[in-house]
Amino acid sequence: MKIRSTDWKIFALWVGGLALAALCLGWILRVEFETQLRQGAEQSALRWAQYVSRTVPDLEMTFSGRGATPAAREQLSRLRLNDDVFRFKLFDPSGNLVLLSDDLDQAILPSSYATADGIGHSPEDLSIAPFREQVLAGRSHVQLKRETGPDRPAVYSE
């Protein structure tokens, strides 16, 4: 049986079409996966923040810039051990970073996080301006991150 050149062309078109369909399906699945991760992370973060606001004593003192009381530090340290949370940041109503969970082990918490990352930079910093406006308007902002390191999971949200 002899294979004609038109048969090869038809075969190549089918293979090309199937490959393109597989690529499109892979892209669609990746986008859906990212969407589901982002929504899950956002819901988890909101539930965690509500739990923190209900269970941490004297939390308003931390946000007012007067520092965390020993009782607040103790509860925040316990919350840091939650399996779903490996690190957290607390911001005051103006968007300034007031507490980084990594610092809870220190005897004295830093008095200023002026150079720390987050929304605590000046409003003129254009790289974080949309993020700052979104968070300060009361909406959540979730970034999915992929990193390798001894103190981070492979995929996490911030």
Side-chain angles (χ1 to χ4, degrees):
M1 183 169 149
K2 185 177 179 183
I3 300 177
R4 298 176 298 195
S5 66
T6 55
D7 293 338
W8 280 110
K9 290 177 184 175
I10 291 172
F11 177 73
L13 285 173
W14 272 102
V15 169
L18 289 174
L20 182 61
L23 285 173
C24 288
L25 180 61
W27 178 78
I28 289 169
L29 289 174
R30 180 176 171 89
V31 167
E32 182 61 25
F33 176 72
E34 293 284 326
T35 301
Q36 293 295 322
L37 268 177
R38 186 175 316 287
Q39 288 174 346
E42 187 172 316
Q43 291 170 355
S44 177
L46 290 173
R47 282 192 308 270
W48 190 85
Q50 290 168 348
Y51 183 73
V52 167
S53 69
R54 287 191 316 267
T55 63
V56 176
D58 307 320
L59 192 58
E60 64 280 349
M61 287 183 66
T62 304
F63 288 116
S64 70
R66 293 181 283 176
T69 64
R73 283 183 69 159
E74 183 179 332
Q75 177 63 6
L76 288 168
S77 293
R78 275 195 297 268
L79 291 173
R80 184 179 58 180
L81 300 176
N82 181 329
D83 288 338
D84 293 338
V85 177
F86 74 95
R87 182 181 193 207
F88 60 86
K89 300 174 185 178
L90 299 180
F91 297 91
D92 70 11
S94 299
N96 300 308
L97 183 62
V98 295
L99 181 79
L100 181 61
S101 63
D102 298 351
D103 295 333
L104 288 169
D105 295 331
Q106 296 180 16
I108 300 174
L109 292 174
S111 60
S112 173
Y113 289 95
T115 60
D117 62 347
I119 63 171
H121 294 290
S122 67
E124 295 80 30
D125 186 352
L126 297 178
S127 67
I128 55 100
F131 170 54
R132 181 184 186 90
E133 290 171 15
Q134 184 178 10
V135 172
L136 294 180
R139 295 184 307 273
S140 59
H141 176 84
V142 175
Q143 291 177 306
L144 293 177
K145 297 190 175 191
R146 288 174 173 78
E147 293 184 21
T148 56
D151 64 336
R152 295 191 194 292
V155 177
Y156 65 96
S157 63
E158 186 174 274

